[in-house]
Amino acid sequence: MIVNTPAIVIHSLRYGESDLIVSLLTKTSGLRSYLLKGILKSKRGKIRSSLFQPLTLLEIEANHKDKGTLERIKEAKVLIPYQSLHTNFVKSSLVFFLSEILKNTIQEQEINEDLFHYLETTFLWLDSHDNIGNFHISFLIKLTQYLGFYPDTSNISSSVFNMQDGCFQEDSSNIYCLEGNSVLVLKKFLGTTFEESMSIKMSRMVRNEILNTLLVYFELHLHGFKKPKSLSILNEIFS
């Protein structure tokens, strides 16, 4: 079946000397993997390897056989070009972190247009803004809405956040209960826009603690989730 769809590059992997395997989140077919034969050696082909940088927004025409094997892309072009996402050092570091997060969180071929729209809108926001110190924190929290484990805020006035159950409560009940200043800061992010969340003030130590807390939260709620290798670089940049 020939499919025309917007797509977001999640991950790419060199295969052999000249081939590339790319994972794309498509708007109409969910997560798909494609084999691009000879793309790393071809200089005249219609599809260039530079199109498949992480988080690039594409428009593709592909042949989907829907047999659980690698699909084929017939044509691809940039849907909306970024102005700074792949050239600004801080933003490009964020790109690698976010692509690792998405590689570990989006595993199935289920169509999720709401998630696609969130990612597309979010990456365009990141591309066009300079005040992005809390972006990765806000991104992860909002992402949980589309993955099904956004924190239950019905008892948000309580002082303890139970990461295992994803809710606020009065007392610690397991080793995954968080309390103290980190909970107060976490609450500030809930229900805010990206613009509002960028003005939340915190120390380097608290920012790193919140980020690590969120990654543990993802580990608890997503089978097979692993902390990104780019985490240490991100902690240094946003110190």
Side-chain angles (χ1 to χ4, degrees), residues 140-227:
L140 290 175
I141 292 173
K142 293 181 187 300
L143 180 61
T144 64
Q145 289 181 286
Y146 303 91
L147 299 177
F149 53 97
Y150 187 76
D152 180 354
T153 58
S154 57
N155 293 315
I156 197 170
S157 60
S158 298
S159 59
V160 174
F161 179 58
N162 183 337
M163 290 190 288
Q164 191 170 59
D165 296 335
C167 65
F168 293 91
Q169 56 193 45
E170 290 299 332
D171 302 300
S172 294
S173 56
N174 59 58
I175 61 172
Y176 297 111
C177 284
L178 184 72
E179 51 190 316
N181 188 52
S182 294
V183 175
L184 296 177
V185 175
L186 178 63
K187 289 179 181 180
K188 293 180 181 179
F189 281 92
L190 300 177
T192 61
T193 64
F194 273 103
E195 287 84 355
E196 292 167 342
S197 68
M198 295 310 125
S199 64
I200 297 173
K201 304 296 183 182
M202 70 186 93
S203 66
R204 170 187 175 179
M205 184 176 68
V206 172
R207 181 180 283 109
N208 289 350
E209 187 176 335
I210 291 290
L211 178 56
N212 282 303
T213 293
L214 288 171
L215 294 176
V216 171
Y217 188 53
F218 272 67
E219 287 182 292
L220 287 171
H221 293 272
L222 290 174
H223 179 71
F225 180 84
K226 299 177 181 178
K227 289 185 179 180

Coordinates of all heavy atoms in Angstrom, one line a residue, residues 140-227:
L140 N 9.2 16.3 29.2 CA 9.0 14.9 29.7 C 7.7 14.8 30.5 O 6.9 13.8 30.4 CB 10.1 14.5 30.7 CG 11.5 14.3 30.0 CD1 12.5 14.0 31.1 CD2 11.4 13.1 29.1
I141 N 7.4 15.9 31.3 CA 6.1 15.9 32.0 C 4.9 15.8 31.1 O 4.0 15.1 31.3 CB 6.0 17.1 33.0 CG1 7.1 16.9 34.1 CG2 4.6 17.2 33.6 CD1 7.2 18.2 35.0
K142 N 4.9 16.7 30.1 CA 3.8 16.7 29.1 C 3.7 15.5 28.3 O 2.6 15.0 27.9 CB 3.9 18.0 28.2 CG 3.8 19.3 28.9 CD 3.9 20.5 28.0 CE 3.9 21.8 28.7 NZ 2.7 22.0 29.5
L143 N 4.9 14.8 28.0 CA 4.9 13.6 27.2 C 4.1 12.5 27.9 O 3.5 11.7 27.3 CB 6.3 13.2 27.0 CG 6.5 11.9 26.2 CD1 5.9 12.0 24.8 CD2 8.0 11.5 26.1
T144 N 4.1 12.5 29.3 CA 3.4 11.4 30.0 C 1.9 11.5 29.8 O 1.2 10.5 29.9 CB 3.7 11.5 31.5 OG1 3.1 12.8 32.0 CG2 5.1 11.4 31.8
Q145 N 1.4 12.6 29.4 CA 0.0 12.7 29.0 C -0.4 11.8 27.9 O -1.5 11.2 27.8 CB -0.4 14.2 28.7 CG -0.4 15.1 29.9 CD -0.8 16.5 29.4 OE1 -0.1 17.2 28.8 NE2 -2.0 16.9 29.8
Y146 N 0.5 11.7 26.9 CA 0.3 11.0 25.7 C 0.7 9.5 25.8 O 0.4 8.7 24.9 CB 1.0 11.6 24.5 CG 0.6 13.1 24.3 CD1 1.3 14.1 25.0 CD2 -0.5 13.4 23.6 CE1 0.9 15.4 24.9 CE2 -0.9 14.7 23.5 CZ -0.2 15.7 24.1 OH -0.7 17.0 24.0
L147 N 1.4 9.2 26.9 CA 1.9 7.8 27.1 C 1.0 7.1 28.2 O 1.2 5.9 28.4 CB 3.3 7.8 27.5 CG 4.3 8.4 26.5 CD1 5.8 8.4 27.0 CD2 4.3 7.6 25.2
G148 N 0.1 7.9 28.8 CA -0.8 7.3 29.7 C -0.5 7.3 31.2 O -1.2 6.6 31.9
F149 N 0.5 8.0 31.6 CA 0.8 8.0 33.1 C 1.1 9.4 33.6 O 2.0 9.6 34.4 CB 1.9 7.0 33.4 CG 3.2 7.2 32.6 CD1 4.3 7.9 33.1 CD2 3.4 6.6 31.4 CE1 5.5 8.1 32.4 CE2 4.5 6.8 30.6 CZ 5.6 7.5 31.2
Y150 N 0.4 10.4 33.1 CA 0.5 11.8 33.7 C 0.1 11.7 35.2 O -0.9 11.1 35.5 CB -0.4 12.7 32.9 CG -0.3 14.2 33.3 CD1 0.8 14.9 32.8 CD2 -1.2 14.8 34.1 CE1 0.9 16.3 33.1 CE2 -1.1 16.2 34.4 CZ 0.0 16.9 33.9 OH 0.1 18.2 34.2
P151 N 0.8 12.5 36.0 CA 0.5 12.4 37.4 C -0.9 12.8 37.7 O -1.5 13.8 37.2 CB 1.5 13.5 38.0 CG 2.6 13.5 37.1 CD 2.0 13.3 35.7
D152 N -1.5 12.1 38.7 CA -2.9 12.4 39.1 C -2.8 13.6 40.1 O -2.1 13.5 41.1 CB -3.4 11.2 39.9 CG -4.8 11.4 40.4 OD1 -5.4 12.5 40.3 OD2 -5.4 10.4 40.9
T153 N -3.4 14.7 39.7 CA -3.3 15.9 40.5 C -4.5 16.1 41.4 O -4.7 17.2 42.0 CB -3.1 17.1 39.6 OG1 -4.3 17.2 38.7 CG2 -1.9 17.0 38.8
S154 N -5.3 15.1 41.6 CA -6.5 15.3 42.5 C -6.2 15.6 43.9 O -7.0 16.3 44.6 CB -7.5 14.1 42.4 OG -6.8 12.9 42.8
N155 N -5.0 15.2 44.4 CA -4.6 15.5 45.8 C -3.3 16.3 45.7 O -2.4 16.0 46.6 CB -4.4 14.2 46.6 CG -5.7 13.5 46.8 OD1 -6.7 14.1 47.2 ND2 -5.7 12.2 46.6
I156 N -3.2 17.2 44.8 CA -1.9 17.9 44.6 C -1.4 18.7 45.8 O -0.3 19.0 45.9 CB -2.0 18.8 43.3 CG1 -0.6 19.2 42.9 CG2 -2.9 20.0 43.6 CD1 -0.6 19.9 41.5
S157 N -2.3 19.0 46.7 CA -1.9 19.8 47.9 C -1.1 18.9 48.9 O -0.5 19.5 49.8 CB -3.2 20.3 48.6 OG -4.0 19.3 49.0
S158 N -1.1 17.6 48.7 CA -0.4 16.7 49.6 C 1.1 16.9 49.3 O 1.6 17.3 48.2 CB -0.8 15.3 49.4 OG -2.2 15.1 49.7
S159 N 1.9 16.5 50.3 CA 3.4 16.9 50.3 C 4.3 15.8 49.7 O 5.4 16.0 49.5 CB 3.9 17.2 51.7 OG 3.6 16.1 52.6
V160 N 3.7 14.6 49.4 CA 4.5 13.5 48.9 C 4.0 13.1 47.5 O 2.8 13.0 47.3 CB 4.4 12.2 49.9 CG1 5.1 11.0 49.3 CG2 4.9 12.6 51.2
F161 N 5.0 12.8 46.6 CA 4.6 12.3 45.3 C 5.0 10.9 45.2 O 6.2 10.5 45.3 CB 5.3 13.1 44.2 CG 5.0 12.6 42.8 CD1 3.7 12.5 42.3 CD2 6.0 12.2 41.9 CE1 3.4 12.1 41.1 CE2 5.7 11.7 40.7 CZ 4.4 11.6 40.2
N162 N 4.1 10.0 45.0 CA 4.3 8.5 44.9 C 4.5 8.2 43.4 O 3.6 8.2 42.6 CB 3.1 7.8 45.4 CG 3.3 6.3 45.4 OD1 4.1 5.8 44.6 ND2 2.5 5.6 46.2
M163 N 5.8 8.0 43.0 CA 6.1 7.8 41.6 C 5.6 6.5 41.1 O 5.2 6.3 39.9 CB 7.6 7.8 41.4 CG 8.3 9.2 41.6 SD 10.0 9.2 41.0 CE 10.8 8.3 42.4
Q164 N 5.5 5.5 42.0 CA 5.0 4.2 41.6 C 3.5 4.2 41.2 O 3.1 3.6 40.2 CB 5.2 3.2 42.7 CG 5.0 1.7 42.3 CD 5.4 0.8 43.4 OE1 4.9 0.8 44.5 NE2 6.3 -0.1 43.1
D165 N 2.7 5.0 41.9 CA 1.3 5.1 41.6 C 1.0 6.3 40.9 O -0.2 6.5 40.4 CB 0.5 5.0 42.9 CG 0.6 3.7 43.7 OD1 0.9 2.7 43.0 OD2 0.5 3.7 44.9
G166 N 1.9 7.2 40.7 CA 1.7 8.5 39.9 C 0.7 9.4 40.6 O -0.1 10.0 39.9
C167 N 0.8 9.6 41.9 CA -0.2 10.4 42.6 C 0.4 11.1 43.8 O 1.5 10.7 44.3 CB -1.4 9.6 43.1 SG -1.0 8.3 44.3
F168 N -0.2 12.1 44.3 CA 0.2 12.9 45.5 C -0.5 12.3 46.7 O -1.7 12.0 46.6 CB 0.0 14.3 45.3 CG 0.8 15.0 44.3 CD1 0.3 15.1 43.0 CD2 2.0 15.5 44.6 CE1 1.1 15.7 42.0 CE2 2.8 16.1 43.6 CZ 2.3 16.2 42.3
Q169 N 0.2 12.2 47.8 CA -0.4 11.7 49.0 C 0.3 12.3 50.3 O 1.3 13.0 50.1 CB -0.2 10.2 49.1 CG 1.2 9.6 48.9 CD 1.3 8.2 48.7 OE1 0.6 7.6 47.8 NE2 2.2 7.5 49.4
E170 N -0.2 12.0 51.4 CA 0.2 12.7 52.7 C 1.5 12.0 53.2 O 2.4 12.7 53.8 CB -0.9 12.7 53.7 CG -2.0 13.6 53.4 CD -1.6 15.1 53.3 OE1 -0.6 15.5 54.0 OE2 -2.2 15.8 52.6
D171 N 1.6 10.7 53.1 CA 2.7 10.0 53.7 C 3.5 9.1 52.7 O 2.9 8.6 51.7 CB 2.2 9.2 54.9 CG 1.5 10.0 56.0 OD1 2.2 10.9 56.5 OD2 0.3 9.7 56.2
S172 N 4.7 8.8 53.0 CA 5.5 7.9 52.1 C 5.0 6.5 52.4 O 4.8 6.1 53.5 CB 7.0 8.0 52.5 OG 7.5 9.2 52.1
S173 N 4.8 5.7 51.3 CA 4.3 4.4 51.4 C 5.2 3.3 50.7 O 5.0 2.1 50.8 CB 2.9 4.2 50.8 OG 2.9 4.7 49.5
N174 N 6.2 3.8 50.0 CA 7.2 2.9 49.4 C 8.5 3.7 49.1 O 8.6 4.9 49.3 CB 6.6 2.3 48.1 CG 6.2 3.3 47.1 OD1 7.0 4.1 46.6 ND2 4.9 3.4 46.7
I175 N 9.5 3.0 48.5 CA 10.8 3.6 48.3 C 10.7 4.6 47.1 O 11.7 5.3 46.9 CB 11.9 2.5 48.0 CG1 11.5 1.7 46.8 CG2 12.1 1.6 49.2 CD1 12.6 0.8 46.3
Y176 N 9.7 4.6 46.4 CA 9.6 5.5 45.2 C 8.7 6.8 45.6 O 8.2 7.4 44.7 CB 8.9 4.8 44.0 CG 9.8 3.6 43.6 CD1 9.4 2.3 43.7 CD2 11.0 3.9 43.0 CE1 10.2 1.2 43.3 CE2 11.8 2.8 42.5 CZ 11.4 1.5 42.7 OH 12.2 0.5 42.3
C177 N 8.7 7.1 46.8 CA 8.0 8.3 47.2 C 9.0 9.5 47.4 O 10.0 9.3 48.0 CB 7.2 8.1 48.6 SG 5.7 7.1 48.4
L178 N 8.6 10.6 46.8 CA 9.4 11.8 46.8 C 8.8 12.9 47.6 O 7.6 13.0 47.6 CB 9.6 12.2 45.3 CG 10.5 13.4 45.0 CD1 11.9 13.0 45.2 CD2 10.2 14.0 43.6
E179 N 9.6 13.6 48.4 CA 9.1 14.7 49.2 C 10.1 15.8 49.3 O 11.3 15.7 48.8 CB 8.7 14.2 50.6 CG 9.8 13.4 51.3 CD 9.2 12.8 52.6 OE1 8.4 13.4 53.3 OE2 9.5 11.6 52.8
G180 N 9.8 16.9 49.9 CA 10.7 18.0 50.0 C 10.6 19.0 48.9 O 9.5 19.1 48.2
N181 N 11.6 19.8 48.7 CA 11.6 20.8 47.7 C 11.4 20.4 46.3 O 10.8 21.1 45.4 CB 13.0 21.6 47.7 CG 13.0 22.8 46.9 OD1 12.1 23.7 47.0 ND2 14.0 23.0 46.0
S182 N 11.9 19.2 45.9 CA 11.7 18.6 44.6 C 10.2 18.5 44.2 O 9.8 18.7 43.1 CB 12.4 17.3 44.4 OG 13.8 17.4 44.5
V183 N 9.4 18.1 45.2 CA 7.9 18.0 45.0 C 7.3 19.3 44.7 O 6.5 19.5 43.9 CB 7.3 17.3 46.2 CG1 5.7 17.2 46.0 CG2 7.8 15.9 46.3
L184 N 7.8 20.3 45.5 CA 7.2 21.7 45.3 C 7.6 22.2 43.9 O 6.7 22.8 43.3 CB 7.9 22.6 46.4 CG 7.5 22.3 47.8 CD1 8.3 23.3 48.8 CD2 6.0 22.4 48.1
V185 N 8.8 21.9 43.5 CA 9.1 22.4 42.1 C 8.4 21.6 41.0 O 7.9 22.2 40.1 CB 10.7 22.2 41.9 CG1 11.0 22.6 40.5 CG2 11.4 23.1 42.9
L186 N 8.3 20.3 41.2 CA 7.5 19.5 40.3 C 6.1 20.0 40.1 O 5.6 20.1 39.0 CB 7.5 18.0 40.8 CG 6.7 17.0 39.9 CD1 7.3 16.9 38.5 CD2 6.7 15.7 40.6
K187 N 5.4 20.4 41.2 CA 4.1 20.9 41.1 C 4.0 22.1 40.3 O 2.9 22.3 39.6 CB 3.6 21.2 42.5 CG 3.3 19.9 43.4 CD 2.8 20.4 44.8 CE 2.6 19.2 45.7 NZ 2.1 19.6 47.0
K188 N 5.0 22.9 40.3 CA 5.0 24.2 39.5 C 4.9 23.9 38.0 O 4.3 24.7 37.2 CB 6.2 25.0 39.8 CG 6.3 25.6 41.2 CD 7.5 26.4 41.4 CE 7.6 26.9 42.9 NZ 8.9 27.7 43.1
F189 N 5.4 22.8 37.6 CA 5.4 22.4 36.1 C 4.0 21.9 35.7 O 3.7 22.0 34.5 CB 6.4 21.4 35.8 CG 7.8 22.0 35.7 CD1 8.7 22.0 36.8 CD2 8.3 22.5 34.5 CE1 9.9 22.5 36.7 CE2 9.5 23.0 34.4 CZ 10.4 23.0 35.5
L190 N 3.3 21.3 36.6 CA 2.0 20.7 36.2 C 1.0 21.7 35.8 O 0.7 22.6 36.5 CB 1.5 19.8 37.4 CG 2.4 18.7 37.8 CD1 1.9 18.0 39.0 CD2 2.7 17.7 36.7
G191 N 0.4 21.5 34.6 CA -0.6 22.4 34.1 C -0.1 23.7 33.5 O -0.9 24.6 33.2
T192 N 1.2 23.9 33.4 CA 1.7 25.1 32.8 C 2.0 25.0 31.3 O 2.2 23.8 30.8 CB 3.1 25.5 33.5 OG1 4.0 24.5 33.2 CG2 2.9 25.7 34.9
T193 N 2.1 26.1 30.6 CA 2.5 26.1 29.2 C 4.0 26.0 29.1 O 4.7 26.2 30.2 CB 2.0 27.3 28.4 OG1 2.7 28.5 29.0 CG2 0.5 27.5 28.5
F194 N 4.6 25.8 27.9 CA 6.1 25.8 27.8 C 6.6 27.2 28.2 O 7.6 27.3 28.9 CB 6.5 25.5 26.4 CG 6.6 24.0 26.2 CD1 5.7 23.3 25.5 CD2 7.8 23.3 26.7 CE1 5.8 21.9 25.4 CE2 7.9 21.9 26.5 CZ 6.9 21.2 25.9
E195 N 5.9 28.3 27.7 CA 6.4 29.6 28.0 C 6.4 29.8 29.6 O 7.4 30.4 30.1 CB 5.4 30.6 27.4 CG 5.6 30.8 25.9 CD 4.8 29.7 25.1 OE1 4.2 28.9 25.8 OE2 4.7 29.8 23.9
E196 N 5.3 29.4 30.2 CA 5.3 29.6 31.7 C 6.3 28.8 32.4 O 7.0 29.3 33.4 CB 3.9 29.2 32.2 CG 2.8 30.2 31.7 CD 1.4 29.6 32.0 OE1 1.3 28.4 32.2 OE2 0.4 30.4 31.9
S197 N 6.6 27.6 32.0 CA 7.5 26.7 32.7 C 9.0 27.2 32.5 O 9.8 26.9 33.4 CB 7.4 25.3 32.1 OG 7.9 25.2 30.8
M198 N 9.3 28.0 31.5 CA 10.7 28.5 31.3 C 11.0 29.5 32.4 O 12.2 29.8 32.7 CB 10.8 29.1 30.0 CG 10.7 28.1 28.8 SD 11.7 26.6 29.0 CE 10.4 25.4 28.7
S199 N 10.0 30.1 33.1 CA 10.3 31.1 34.1 C 10.4 30.5 35.5 O 10.7 31.2 36.5 CB 9.2 32.2 34.1 OG 8.0 31.6 34.5
I200 N 10.3 29.2 35.6 CA 10.4 28.5 37.0 C 11.9 28.5 37.4 O 12.7 28.0 36.6 CB 9.8 27.1 36.9 CG1 8.3 27.1 36.6 CG2 10.1 26.3 38.2 CD1 7.7 25.7 36.4
K201 N 12.2 29.0 38.5 CA 13.5 29.1 39.0 C 13.9 27.9 39.9 O 13.1 27.5 40.7 CB 13.7 30.4 39.8 CG 13.3 31.7 39.1 CD 14.2 31.9 37.9 CE 13.9 33.3 37.2 NZ 14.7 33.5 36.0
M202 N 15.1 27.4 39.6 CA 15.6 26.3 40.5 C 17.1 26.2 40.3 O 17.7 26.7 39.4 CB 15.0 25.0 40.0 CG 15.4 24.5 38.7 SD 14.5 23.0 38.2 CE 13.2 23.8 37.2
S203 N 17.8 25.6 41.3 CA 19.2 25.5 41.3 C 19.6 24.3 40.3 O 18.8 23.5 39.9 CB 19.7 25.2 42.7 OG 19.3 23.9 43.1
R204 N 20.9 24.3 40.0 CA 21.4 23.2 39.2 C 21.1 21.8 39.8 O 20.7 20.9 39.2 CB 22.9 23.3 39.0 CG 23.5 22.1 38.4 CD 25.0 22.2 38.3 NE 25.7 21.0 37.8 CZ 27.0 20.8 37.7 NH1 27.8 21.8 38.0 NH2 27.4 19.7 37.2
M205 N 21.3 21.7 41.2 CA 21.1 20.5 41.9 C 19.6 20.0 41.8 O 19.3 18.9 41.5 CB 21.5 20.6 43.3 CG 21.4 19.3 44.1 SD 22.0 19.5 45.8 CE 20.8 20.6 46.5
V206 N 18.7 21.0 42.0 CA 17.3 20.6 41.9 C 16.9 20.3 40.5 O 16.1 19.3 40.3 CB 16.4 21.8 42.5 CG1 14.9 21.5 42.2 CG2 16.7 22.0 44.0
R207 N 17.4 21.0 39.5 CA 17.0 20.7 38.1 C 17.5 19.3 37.8 O 16.7 18.5 37.2 CB 17.7 21.7 37.2 CG 17.3 21.4 35.7 CD 17.9 22.4 34.7 NE 17.2 23.7 34.8 CZ 17.7 24.8 35.3 NH1 18.9 24.8 35.9 NH2 16.9 25.9 35.3
N208 N 18.7 18.9 38.2 CA 19.2 17.6 37.9 C 18.4 16.5 38.7 O 18.1 15.4 38.2 CB 20.7 17.4 38.3 CG 21.6 18.2 37.3 OD1 21.1 18.7 36.3 ND2 22.8 18.3 37.7
E209 N 18.0 16.9 39.9 CA 17.2 15.9 40.7 C 15.8 15.7 40.1 O 15.3 14.6 40.1 CB 17.1 16.5 42.1 CG 16.4 15.5 43.1 CD 16.4 16.0 44.5 OE1 17.2 16.9 44.9 OE2 15.5 15.6 45.3
I210 N 15.2 16.8 39.6 CA 13.9 16.7 39.0 C 14.0 15.8 37.7 O 13.1 14.9 37.5 CB 13.3 18.0 38.6 CG1 12.9 18.8 39.9 CG2 12.1 17.9 37.7 CD1 11.8 18.3 40.6
L211 N 15.0 16.1 36.9 CA 15.2 15.3 35.7 C 15.4 13.8 36.0 O 14.8 12.9 35.4 CB 16.4 15.8 34.9 CG 16.8 15.1 33.6 CD1 15.6 15.0 32.7 CD2 17.9 15.7 32.9
N212 N 16.3 13.5 37.0 CA 16.5 12.1 37.3 C 15.2 11.4 37.9 O 15.0 10.3 37.7 CB 17.7 12.0 38.3 CG 19.0 12.1 37.6 OD1 19.3 11.3 36.7 ND2 19.8 13.1 38.1
T213 N 14.5 12.2 38.7 CA 13.2 11.7 39.2 C 12.3 11.3 38.1 O 11.6 10.3 38.1 CB 12.5 12.8 40.1 OG1 13.3 13.0 41.2 CG2 11.1 12.3 40.5
L214 N 12.2 12.2 37.0 CA 11.3 11.9 35.9 C 11.7 10.7 35.1 O 10.9 9.9 34.7 CB 11.2 13.1 35.0 CG 10.5 14.3 35.5 CD1 10.7 15.6 34.6 CD2 9.0 14.0 35.6
L215 N 13.0 10.5 35.0 CA 13.5 9.3 34.3 C 13.2 8.0 35.1 O 12.9 7.0 34.5 CB 15.0 9.5 34.0 CG 15.4 10.6 33.1 CD1 16.9 10.7 33.0 CD2 14.8 10.4 31.7
V216 N 13.3 8.1 36.4 CA 12.9 7.0 37.2 C 11.4 6.7 37.1 O 11.0 5.6 36.9 CB 13.2 7.2 38.7 CG1 12.6 6.1 39.6 CG2 14.7 7.2 38.9
Y217 N 10.6 7.8 37.0 CA 9.2 7.7 36.8 C 8.9 7.0 35.5 O 8.0 6.1 35.4 CB 8.6 9.1 36.8 CG 7.1 9.2 36.8 CD1 6.3 8.5 37.7 CD2 6.4 10.0 35.9 CE1 5.0 8.6 37.7 CE2 5.0 10.1 35.9 CZ 4.3 9.4 36.8 OH 2.9 9.5 36.8
F218 N 9.6 7.3 34.4 CA 9.5 6.7 33.1 C 9.8 5.2 33.2 O 9.2 4.3 32.7 CB 10.3 7.3 32.1 CG 9.6 8.5 31.4 CD1 9.3 9.6 32.1 CD2 9.3 8.4 30.0 CE1 8.7 10.7 31.4 CE2 8.7 9.5 29.4 CZ 8.4 10.6 30.1
E219 N 10.9 4.9 34.0 CA 11.3 3.5 34.1 C 10.3 2.7 34.8 O 10.1 1.5 34.5 CB 12.6 3.4 34.9 CG 13.9 3.9 34.2 CD 15.1 3.7 35.0 OE1 15.3 4.5 35.9 OE2 16.0 2.9 34.6
L220 N 9.6 3.3 35.8 CA 8.6 2.6 36.6 C 7.3 2.3 35.7 O 6.6 1.3 36.0 CB 8.2 3.4 37.8 CG 9.2 3.5 38.9 CD1 8.7 4.5 40.0 CD2 9.3 2.1 39.6
H221 N 7.1 3.1 34.7 CA 5.8 3.0 34.0 C 5.9 2.5 32.6 O 4.9 2.3 31.9 CB 5.1 4.4 34.0 CG 4.6 4.8 35.4 ND1 3.4 4.4 35.9 CD2 5.2 5.5 36.4 CE1 3.3 4.9 37.1 NE2 4.3 5.5 37.4
L222 N 7.2 2.4 32.1 CA 7.4 1.9 30.7 C 8.3 0.7 30.7 O 9.5 0.9 31.1 CB 8.0 3.0 29.8 CG 7.0 4.2 29.5 CD1 7.8 5.3 28.7 CD2 5.9 3.7 28.6
H223 N 7.9 -0.4 30.3 CA 8.7 -1.6 30.3 C 9.9 -1.4 29.3 O 9.7 -1.0 28.2 CB 7.9 -2.8 29.9 CG 8.7 -4.1 29.8 ND1 9.1 -4.7 30.9 CD2 9.1 -4.8 28.7 CE1 9.8 -5.8 30.5 NE2 9.8 -5.9 29.2
G224 N 11.1 -1.7 29.8 CA 12.3 -1.6 29.0 C 12.9 -0.3 28.8 O 13.8 -0.1 28.1
F225 N 12.3 0.7 29.5 CA 12.9 2.1 29.3 C 14.2 2.2 30.0 O 14.5 1.7 31.1 CB 11.9 3.1 30.0 CG 12.4 4.5 29.9 CD1 12.2 5.3 28.8 CD2 13.2 5.1 30.9 CE1 12.7 6.6 28.7 CE2 13.6 6.4 30.8 CZ 13.4 7.2 29.7
K226 N 15.2 2.8 29.3 CA 16.5 3.0 29.8 C 16.9 4.5 29.8 O 16.5 5.2 28.9 CB 17.5 2.2 28.9 CG 17.3 0.7 28.9 CD 18.3 0.1 27.9 CE 18.1 -1.4 27.8 NZ 19.0 -2.1 26.9
K227 N 17.7 4.9 30.8 CA 18.1 6.3 30.9 C 19.0 6.6 29.6 O 19.9 5.8 29.3 CB 18.9 6.5 32.2 CG 18.0 6.5 33.4 CD 18.8 6.9 34.6 CE 17.9 6.9 35.9 NZ 18.6 7.3 37.1

